[in-house]
């Protein structure tokens, strides 16, 4: 999981532009960074660590040329060191390659190449690619043919940008199962893993599909399949402005994105008509199966409760990484709903491929043109805009909104649309708890363990609160169905363990309140989330976050998640952690 870019510029030096573009992809990985540019020869600079530190030590004069490629890495094969940083080259350093993906058969290929005299200098799977291209060029093929031959030898996933000293002025891109887009500016050409990388230069974008190759030569964009047949592709105009991908005055992308949530939900609500049209053409399904990972899985769990309540269909929910082992009971009467903000999560894409063979598939996706949107039979776009913070926030509430719309329309419960339309206002109210949350965050910042509990529609919110805490504060957070505590984890509760209780008014309220009594009896300090008018709950809690009393249990996942996100965010700030770039994690998980 990495970010790649390439550019051919008309009258500017490539290196500063490449740095700027690849900086927009740091959410894809920040273990190392590297650039290659080409003037009379290929020059490479790379190092471990983040772009800012790399840029500080970089002498741009070392990277002359109007053409180049760049990379940010999230390590999969080989430690995150300078030697393993991309670009990688062949023996003669005439070919430079940046890669996002995994080459599954790299060990065999590496052994073969070493046996025929190739010298390797890194531990990466990627390095076999320039050597394979070198091998084919030595046999007399030109760069384009050599790239085609090389990728035929490769098993696995790749988005590649390649340049070669012998064919200066040219960059070749090729992809399979890792995203790659082409940007077309004014006599300037770009390649990138994702759209935000090029938005400062162009909003004209072509999405490459699997097994497609692009040849950029500074004059035109030629797209071919892997048999060399020329393809005609649509050029999309991207409506996201470069500003939308920037922090807009907030300290971090995450807090900016938390504040964008009411608008994100409003944007998703605009999809109502498209969803209605889609639902109208649906056959009669007998079963629903949600598939997703991480935060998107928590959105799916809300989906399960909603579909069973509103649509009355049996609803499974399966972690995408478990789908190939347990997702067998599907047939043409099943609708498999895959939730993925990026549309590129490898586990989810694999599940999608399996599900496509047996059932009807629907992907709920934020990233336009991503692989899931092309592979699924039906698509709902959540339209939350670009999410750069590694921790999902606004894409989560947009996913939830899409699921509410779908369940309401499939279940014929149109009367609930009115309540759904009010949710952005309730979310604005929830954002006003920020100052209270800061106080609570400061109080608990040095805690080792947290519990998050809830029942019914509040159980996914508890899971999501715990996940947010873990990923950006490195504090252990355990999300639990409140009724399950007594079956084991109650043994862990004492006065060092704060318990966050999600307790909106509704069916589960009184029982969660009893569970709260149980944890309090073991010394736990309770942070409760509930209706402002819930005086009993308030009196039970050491800290209390109040919501408008009209927010009932069914719709509570949307506003109630906000204080959870804020709590994780501010604890992370008080612990001096960068919440946008938590360690060991990346925004888009393109490995299984
Ligand atoms: C957590 C988070 C991850 C993602 C998961 C799935 O904040 O962002 O748990 O939800 O990696 O990603 P998508 O939705 O892109 O498939």
């Amino acid at each position: 999981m990495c970010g790649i870019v390439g550019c051919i510029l008309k009258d500017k030096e490539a290196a500063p532009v490449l740095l700027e573009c690849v900086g927009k992809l740091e959410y894809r990985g920040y273990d190392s960074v590297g650039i290659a540019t080409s003037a009379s020869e290929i020059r490479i600079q790379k190092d471990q660590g983040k772009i800012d530190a790399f840029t500080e030590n970089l002498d741009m004069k070392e990277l002359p040329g109007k053409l180049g490629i760049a990379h940010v890495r999230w390590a999969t094969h080989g430690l995150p060191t300078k030697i393993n940083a991309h670009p990688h080259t062949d023996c003669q350093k005439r070919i430079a390659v940046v890669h996002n993906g995994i080459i599954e058969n790299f060990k065999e290929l590496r052994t073969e190449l070493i046996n025929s005299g190739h010298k390797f200098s890194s531990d990466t799977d990627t390095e076999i690619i320039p050597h394979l291209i070198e091998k084919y060029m030595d046999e007399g093929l030109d760069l384009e043919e050599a790239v085609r031959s090389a990728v035929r030898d490769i098993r696995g996933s790749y988005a590649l940008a390649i340049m070669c000293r012998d064919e200066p002025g040219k960059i070749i891109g090729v992809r399979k199962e890792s995203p790659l887009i082409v940007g077309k500016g004014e006599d300037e050409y770009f390649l990138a893993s994702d759209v935000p990388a090029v938005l400062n230069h162009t909003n004209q974008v072509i999405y490459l599909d699997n097994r497609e190759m692009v040849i950029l030569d500074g004059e035109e964009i030629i797209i071919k399949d892997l048999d060399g047949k020329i393809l005609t592709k649509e050029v999309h105009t991207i409506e996201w402005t470069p500003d939308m991908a920037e922090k807009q005055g907030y300290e971090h992308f995450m807090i900016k994105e938390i504040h964008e949530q009411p608008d994100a939900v409003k944007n998703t609500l605009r999809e109502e008509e498209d969803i209605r049209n889609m639902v109208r053409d649906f056959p009669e399904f007998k079963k629903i199966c949600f598939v997703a990972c991480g935060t998107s899985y928590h959105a799916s769990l809300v989906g399960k409760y909603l579909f069973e309540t509103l649509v009355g269909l049996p609803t499974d929910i399966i972690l995408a990484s478990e789908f190939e082992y347990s997702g067998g009971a599907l047939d043409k009467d099943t609708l498999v709903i895959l939730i993925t903000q990026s549309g590129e999560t490898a586990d989810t894409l694999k599940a999608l491929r399996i599900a496509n063979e047996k059932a009807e598939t629907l992907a709920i996706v934020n990233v336009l043109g991503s692989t899931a949107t092309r592979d699924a039979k039906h698509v709902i776009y959540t339209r939350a805009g670009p999410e750069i913070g590694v921790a999902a926030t606004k894409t989560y509430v947009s996913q939830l909104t899409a699921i509410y719309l779908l369940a309401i329309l499939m279940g014929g419960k149109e009367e609930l649309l009115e309540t759904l339309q009010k949710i952005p206002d309730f979310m604005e109210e929830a954002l006003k708890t920020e100052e209270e949350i800061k106080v609570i965050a400061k109080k608990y910042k040095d805690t080792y363990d947290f519990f998050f509990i809830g029942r019914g529609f509040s159980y996914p919110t508890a899971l999501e609160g715990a996940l947010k805490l873990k990923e950006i504060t490195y504090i252990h957070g355990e999300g639990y169905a409140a009724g399950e505590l007594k079956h084991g984890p109650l043994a862990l509760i004492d006065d060092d363990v704060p318990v966050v209780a999600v307790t909106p008014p509704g069916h589960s309220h009184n029982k969660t309140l009893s569970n709260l009594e149980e944890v309090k009896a073991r010394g736990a300090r309770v942070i409760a989330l509930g209706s402002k008018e819930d005086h009993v709950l308030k009196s039970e809690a050491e800290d209390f976050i109040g919501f408008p009393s009209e927010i009932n249990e069914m719709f509570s996942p949307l506003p109630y998640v906000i204080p959870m996100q804020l709590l994780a965010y501010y604890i992370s700030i008080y612990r001096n952690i960068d919440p946008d770039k938590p360690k060991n994690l990346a925004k888009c998980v393109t490995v299984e």
Side-chain angles (χ1 to χ4, degrees):
M1 169 173 12
C2 304
I4 69 171
V5 291
C7 71
I8 302 182
L9 305 178
K10 196 173 164 222
D11 43 29
K12 284 195 281 274
E13 287 292 286
V17 173
L18 286 167
L19 268 177
E20 183 258 311
C21 293
V22 87
K24 300 285 187 304
L25 298 181
E26 235 187 343
Y27 69 90
R28 301 179 67 88
Y30 30 80
D31 288 336
S32 66
V33 53
I35 298 191
T37 56
S38 166
S40 54
E41 57 177 343
I42 290 180
R43 298 274 194 89
I44 295 180
Q45 294 286 316
K46 54 184 176 177
D47 209 346
Q48 65 188 82
K50 294 183 182 170
I51 291 181
D52 287 352
F54 175 77
T55 310
E56 243 168 59
N57 298 321
L58 187 68
D59 180 357
M60 295 284 185
K61 286 197 225 73
E62 295 294 318
L63 289 168
K66 297 188 170 45
L67 171 155
I69 56 179
H71 187 267
V72 280
R73 176 165 187 250
W74 186 77
T76 56
H77 289 81
L79 293 172
T81 57
K82 179 173 178 174
I83 273 190
N84 289 332
H86 299 211
H88 290 288
T89 57
D90 61 320
C91 299
Q92 302 162 61
K93 306 216 174 330
R94 63 175 166 156
I95 300 154
V97 173
V98 288
H99 168 219
N100 167 35
I102 286 192
I103 310 301
E104 288 165 9
N105 58 339
F106 87 98
K107 284 198 179 128
E108 300 103 274
L109 290 170
R110 187 178 159 111
T111 310
E112 277 170 32
L113 287 161
I114 288 173
N115 289 344
S116 58
H118 288 260
K119 300 248 174 316
F120 281 75
S121 46
S122 79
D123 307 318
T124 62
D125 52 343
T126 303
E127 200 186 347
I128 59 132
I129 300 166
H131 287 280
L132 276 175
I133 298 171
E134 176 180 39
K135 177 184 114 174
Y136 287 115
M137 289 186 82
D138 286 347
E139 288 171 11
L141 300 186
D142 65 15
L143 179 64
E144 187 187 320
E145 288 164 338
V147 170
R148 254 196 297 274
S149 301
V151 296
R152 274 194 209 108
D153 291 347
I154 289 170
R155 231 178 31 241
S157 59
Y158 52 81
L160 301 168
I162 301 153
M163 51 197 241
C164 174
R165 190 186 59 203
D166 299 355
E167 298 191 27
K170 191 183 276 184
I171 297 180
I172 292 187
V174 58
R175 72 154 281 191
K176 181 182 158 249
E177 290 167 25
S178 294
L180 192 60
I181 60 121
V182 182
K184 185 180 175 315
E186 286 272 312
D187 296 324
E188 295 186 333
Y189 301 86
F190 299 86
L191 267 183
S193 299
D194 198 359
V195 172
V198 303
L199 276 182
N200 274 335
H201 306 276
T202 178
N203 66 350
Q204 300 296 298
V205 161
I206 299 168
Y207 295 95
L208 289 191
D209 280 299
N210 277 336
R211 297 187 176 80
E212 286 180 358
M213 164 185 261
V214 58
I215 300 114
L216 302 178
D217 61 5
E219 302 281 327
E220 56 181 340
I221 297 170
I222 302 165
I223 298 174
K224 297 185 177 178
D225 65 17
L226 289 188
D227 296 322
K229 191 174 129 224
I230 295 194
L231 304 170
T232 311
K233 304 276 295 185
E234 191 184 344
V235 180
H236 296 260
T237 302
I238 302 296
E239 276 149 26
W240 294 353
T241 60
D243 252 19
M244 284 168 77
E246 300 290 347
K247 286 190 211 148
Q248 290 168 355
Y250 287 99
E251 202 183 334
H252 295 99
F253 282 112
M254 182 176 175
I255 189 70
K256 168 180 162 275
E257 287 156 5
I258 289 174
H259 279 271
E260 285 171 347
Q261 293 184 109
D263 283 339
V265 167
K266 282 184 203 158
N267 284 341
T268 316
L269 286 173
R270 293 196 185 100
E271 296 304 293
E272 182 188 319
E273 217 31 59
D274 283 356
I275 299 176
R276 192 187 295 279
N277 293 336
M278 181 175 73
V279 167
R280 197 173 292 134
D281 295 337
F282 273 165
E284 199 152 311
F285 293 114
K286 296 208 171 80
K287 187 180 153 191
I288 304 291
C289 176
F290 279 96
V291 182
C293 310
T295 288
S296 302
Y297 179 81
H298 300 153
S300 304
L301 189 51
V302 175
K304 174 182 165 67
Y305 288 119
L306 271 180
F307 269 74
E308 289 182 343
T309 312
L310 300 182
V311 191
L313 286 178
T315 306
D316 267 353
I317 156 164
I318 305 179
L319 285 165
S321 56
E322 290 294 311
F323 189 79
E324 64 178 305
Y325 315 111
S326 71
L330 307 177
D331 58 28
K332 60 175 184 26
D333 295 328
T334 310
L335 176 64
V336 179
I337 306 177
L338 301 108
I339 316 279
T340 167
Q341 68 80 21
S342 62
E344 298 293 350
T345 299
D347 290 323
T348 310
L349 292 181
K350 179 154 192 193
L352 173 55
R353 280 194 287 277
I354 298 169
N356 266 337
E357 311 248 303
K358 303 177 185 168
E360 207 64 19
T361 54
L362 160 63
I364 299 183
V365 184
N366 192 46
V367 179
L368 201 90
S370 58
T371 307
T373 65
R374 281 174 282 125
D375 287 0
K377 295 179 190 163
H378 307 275
V379 180
I380 298 176
Y381 290 105
T382 51
R383 308 211 189 267
E387 186 176 72
I388 307 296
V390 164
T393 53
K394 64 174 178 171
T395 54
Y396 175 65
V397 292
S398 289
Q399 291 169 344
L400 287 178
T401 307
I403 295 169
Y404 278 90
L405 280 172
L406 188 65
I408 289 172
L409 296 172
M410 282 180 74
K413 303 282 190 300
E414 307 257 339
E415 66 279 9
L416 292 176
L417 287 171
E418 203 183 313
T419 315
L420 193 58
Q421 293 291 345
K422 289 188 194 146
I423 294 293
D425 291 341
F426 291 144
M427 294 172 78
E428 295 287 1
E429 287 292 309
L431 283 165
K432 292 185 188 148
T433 62
E434 191 163 354
E435 290 307 313
E436 294 163 68
I437 298 285
K438 279 186 195 171
V439 176
I440 300 173
K442 207 167 253 171
K443 181 162 146 190
Y444 291 106
K445 74 178 175 47
D446 297 316
T447 305
Y448 288 102
D449 284 301
F450 260 90
F451 265 79
F452 293 76
I453 60 168
R455 284 173 178 254
F457 283 102
S458 302
Y459 171 40
T461 310
L463 291 176
E464 180 58 8
L467 179 62
K468 287 287 96 87
L469 186 83
K470 276 185 275 221
E471 64 179 329
I472 62 165
T473 71
Y474 317 150
I475 293 174
H476 172 242
E478 184 104 23
Y480 240 82
E484 272 294 292
L485 279 183
K486 58 186 176 293
H487 298 293
L490 208 50
L492 296 172
I493 304 288
D494 61 27
D495 51 7
D496 284 332
V497 183
V499 176
V500 181
V502 190
T503 327
H507 179 52
S508 69
H509 175 272
N510 289 352
K511 286 204 181 119
T512 309
L513 210 58
S514 313
N515 301 132
L516 254 174
E517 297 285 357
E518 288 158 17
V519 296
K520 273 185 73 181
R522 273 81 186 171
R525 302 161 76 184
V526 171
I527 303 160
L529 278 64
S531 156
K532 276 181 187 157
E533 284 157 34
D534 191 341
H535 302 294
V536 179
L537 180 66
K538 211 171 187 169
S539 67
E540 293 290 344
E542 182 170 320
D543 294 289
F544 178 76
I545 302 295
F547 293 82
S549 57
E550 306 96 285
I551 306 172
N552 67 18
E553 216 169 40
M554 183 183 285
F555 289 96
S556 67
L558 281 157
Y560 274 59
V561 77
I562 290 178
M564 306 283 202
Q565 300 163 338
L566 289 169
L567 181 67
Y569 175 78
Y570 281 106
I571 292 182
S572 138
I573 298 301
Y574 297 139
R575 288 166 72 89
N576 288 322
I577 293 166
D578 179 349
D580 284 344
K581 293 169 189 166
K583 67 178 182 199
N584 305 338
L585 300 178
K587 184 75 189 155
C588 175
V589 187
T590 51
V591 291
E592 278 179 47

